[in-house]
Amino acid sequence: MIEILLIVFAPFIGGIIYGFERVVRARMQNRQGPPLLQPFYDMFKLIDKQAFIVNPYHTILGIMHFITLWVVVAFIIMGQNLLYVIFLHLLSSIFLILAGFSVKSIYSHIGSNRELLAALAYEPILIMMAVGFFMVNGSFDIAVIREHGASIASLFLLFLAYLMVIPIKLKKSPFDATEAHQEIVGGVEIEFSGIFFEFLYMAKWLEYIFAYLLLMLFAGDNILLGIGLFIGVFLLVNLVDNATARIKMKHLIKIVLSLGLTLGICNLIGLAYV
Amino acid sequence: MFDLKKYRKKSPWILHYNAGSCNGCDIEILASLSPKYDLERFGVINTGNPKQSDIFLVTGPVTYRSRERLIELYTQMPEPKVVVAVGSCTCTGGVFRDMYNVEDGIDRYIPVDVYIAGCAVSPELIIDGVVKALDILEKKSKEMEKPLKLFKEAISENGVVNRRNVALKVGEVHEEN
Ligand code: SF4
């Protein structure tokens, strides 16, 4: 029962996390910040606004992106196979990338390109994470992973690698070149407007849920540790977001691939032989 | 009844366009988003994307080079929208008035809802103007709003309005001032 409730309200929980994050970021900069429910005000406003349709495929692909992402979150909450989850998540990114390529806007194309490159950089880390969980717990099932004890000690290097994936997924500096407001005006989301942009906006909230639920897998059955990890990483990501500037796409790929792959492979080799 | 109009006021997203200003007012706009004045506490985001914005902040007296873009950006904003003219030169031409390469103020080209005078305007005035614009935004209908010049009527088929190419280039139209 609680699982169904969680799944139904997942976007709204994500919205609250997003609103809270905006407040935290404002407080870090010594500002007051918007109200906690600001994302929902934005949502109602966007529903009320006029919407432009550039072409039908573009809008449909945007909505598909949101729906697949919701399914991904549902799968994690229900404790399905971790590999399915990761590949389905890739599919949802692909929908967004196709949507970006389906319009004529150059910024949209650049955004899609960057999204694709970013997927290239973080996908191997996610897959290695799944392999690591398999080696520790003997199963890809998230339900099984959640029953075992905390695996953060044996997967520590992969945990560090995953810390680099979170800013990419949540579009936080230094790794926010995929979205890059004011530089490429949001990239893939540029041509969406009104209620159709709302789907993309809510997909962003779901991304939060996705990233932090995967993070909590490192804590296994230890719920307190899971919550501790969530709070710690949440603050860390926002602190880094406030303190650093955006880096170029080229450097993003170099850093994430070289560092992340090395960390991941070391961890997997260690698990296999030690 | 659950009234969606109420929420227009709570999440105004801003598009800022410099139509040939001296940059004084642009700096003040950025200052009003900075920690000291913190425009974000009203839910304001500086989006930079016309298709997702509600408030059009324009600075500058509309140089001949910038008017096509001004109309283009204006027609790309979905209704309801409000236009705020920031700075004296945006309202009337200000120090640039009657120069050979500028129009005197943006209201020759697009309808303006709020004028903020001052050269340069102070951040407090900008915040006041934006808050005033929010009151107007709440009352607006979703009727299509049109620029005053450089504009072709949008074609509507089966209730769907096609806005493609409604903003014209300068050479495409016969103008008299
Ligand atoms: S009003 Fe004055 S300070 Fe502002 S842009 Fe115009 S000339 Fe510059």
Side-chain angles (χ1 to χ4, degrees):
Chain A
M1 189 59 211
I2 187 144
E3 285 179 348
I4 295 176
L5 277 183
L6 271 181
I7 291 169
V8 170
F9 288 106
F12 303 101
I13 300 170
I16 290 175
I17 297 179
Y18 178 58
F20 185 64
E21 185 206 75
R22 278 179 71 178
V23 176
V24 168
R25 254 174 33 211
R27 291 291 149 86
M28 280 178 180
Q29 297 168 359
N30 205 2
R31 286 190 290 127
Q32 190 187 348
L36 182 64
L37 293 181
Q38 184 61 44
F40 300 101
Y41 301 155
D42 292 346
M43 175 169 106
F44 293 132
K45 179 208 69 180
L46 285 169
I47 291 172
D48 188 37
K49 251 182 117 78
Q50 234 179 31
F52 298 160
I53 296 179
V54 181
N55 67 47
Y57 312 107
H58 179 244
T59 34
I60 289 171
L61 283 168
I63 296 172
M64 293 282 279
H65 166 67
F66 168 69
I67 292 173
T68 28
L69 211 53
W70 203 344
V71 173
V72 169
V73 170
F75 271 18
I76 300 183
I77 292 173
M78 288 190 307
Q80 296 288 336
N81 195 313
L82 185 54
L83 274 184
Y84 282 171
V85 165
I86 288 172
F87 287 121
L88 205 58
H89 178 260
L90 182 63
L91 181 71
S92 86
S93 313
I94 300 269
F95 279 137
L96 188 63
I97 291 163
L98 286 179
F101 278 128
S102 76
V103 291
K104 276 189 186 162
S105 162
I106 304 231
Y107 289 126
S108 189
H109 283 203
I110 297 178
S112 283
N113 253 325
R114 291 188 178 180
E115 202 78 49
L116 209 55
L117 288 170
L120 202 73
Y122 67 73
E123 227 29 66
I125 298 177
L126 289 186
I127 293 170
M128 277 197 301
M129 231 173 81
V131 175
F133 278 120
F134 178 78
M135 288 164 90
V136 172
N137 301 303
S139 166
F140 279 121
D141 277 348
I142 291 177
V144 178
I145 295 173
R146 283 218 192 97
E147 277 161 16
H148 281 71
S151 44
I152 183 163
S154 40
L155 292 177
F156 190 68
L157 295 182
L158 269 171
F159 171 71
L160 290 183
Y162 185 59
L163 282 189
M164 289 195 296
V165 177
I166 293 181
I168 304 182
K169 279 281 50 160
L170 304 186
K171 314 271 161 63
K172 298 263 170 266
S173 34
F175 298 146
D176 62 344
T178 47
E179 189 187 63
H181 265 286
Q182 308 295 339
E183 180 200 342
I184 56 169
V185 214
V188 277
E189 54 192 58
I190 183 169
E191 292 283 359
F192 288 92
S193 58
I195 190 160
F196 302 114
F197 179 62
E198 174 53 31
F199 283 105
L200 242 65
Y201 201 52
M202 291 213 285
K204 218 185 267 180
W205 309 347
L206 281 174
E207 238 19 301
Y208 278 78
I209 300 274
F210 169 79
Y212 288 119
L213 275 181
L214 275 196
L215 177 79
M216 281 159 115
L217 283 188
F218 282 103
D221 62 352
N222 192 339
I223 293 181
L224 272 184
L225 178 64
I227 294 173
L229 268 184
F230 166 58
I231 295 175
V233 171
F234 180 80
L235 290 178
L236 178 73
V237 166
N238 283 308
L239 192 68
V240 172
D241 179 39
N242 267 332
T244 52
R246 182 182 305 144
I247 59 170
K248 281 187 194 166
M249 204 60 214
K250 199 167 66 183
H251 298 150
L252 188 155
I253 297 173
K254 262 188 203 156
I255 292 174
V256 173
L257 263 189
S258 60
L259 216 62
L261 274 185
T262 324
L263 285 171
I265 289 173
C266 287
N267 201 333
L268 291 186
I269 292 176
L271 279 180
Y273 291 102
V274 180
Chain B
M1 208 193 87
F2 190 67
D3 191 10
L4 283 175
K5 273 192 174 178
K6 198 167 79 196
Y7 293 97
R8 287 181 189 170
K9 217 173 161 174
K10 293 196 164 183
S11 109
W13 291 6
I14 282 183
L15 174 69
H16 165 213
Y17 177 59
N18 176 344
S21 86
C22 77
N23 258 328
C25 289
D26 305 272
I27 291 170
E28 300 299 333
I29 288 176
L30 291 183
S32 62
L33 287 164
S34 71
K36 183 160 182 198
Y37 298 101
D38 191 20
L39 207 48
E40 202 195 346
R41 65 180 191 265
F42 301 112
V44 167
I45 300 182
N46 194 356
T47 55
N49 182 349
K51 296 202 171 174
Q52 294 151 11
S53 337
D54 311 289
I55 300 186
F56 193 19
L57 283 187
V58 192
T59 58
V62 193
T63 55
Y64 283 174
R65 283 292 180 106
S66 68
R67 48 196 174 163
E68 286 171 6
R69 280 82 160 179
L70 182 75
I71 302 294
E72 187 76 44
L73 287 173
Y74 181 75
T75 50
Q76 279 188 15
M77 282 176 70
E79 280 81 11
K81 60 189 171 193
V82 285
V83 178
V84 181
V86 181
S88 298
C89 66
T90 324
C91 301
T92 61
V95 287
F96 302 115
R97 194 171 175 89
D98 292 337
M99 265 167 65
Y100 64 93
N101 61 344
V102 300
E103 300 277 351
D104 300 335
I106 60 167
D107 52 4
R108 290 194 174 187
Y109 280 88
I110 55 179
V112 178
D113 297 287
V114 179
Y115 294 89
I116 310 178
C119 180
V121 291
S122 65
E124 289 93 342
L125 277 175
I126 295 179
I127 293 173
D128 275 357
V130 168
V131 171
K132 181 80 199 157
L134 293 181
D135 291 336
I136 297 173
L137 186 67
E138 202 182 8
K139 294 194 194 88
K140 283 220 165 170
S141 70
K142 291 203 267 180
E143 280 291 299
M144 188 166 169
E145 295 179 67
K146 294 164 191 153
L148 309 173
K149 284 184 192 173
L150 292 184
F151 179 67
K152 192 173 70 185
E153 282 299 322
I155 312 155
S156 118
E157 313 163 337
N158 310 328
V160 178
V161 181
N162 184 356
R163 292 203 181 202
R164 203 161 277 166
N165 304 326
V166 286
L168 297 177
K169 298 263 178 292
V170 168
E172 280 177 69
V173 65
H174 174 67
E175 269 187 288
E176 66 274 358
N177 265 324

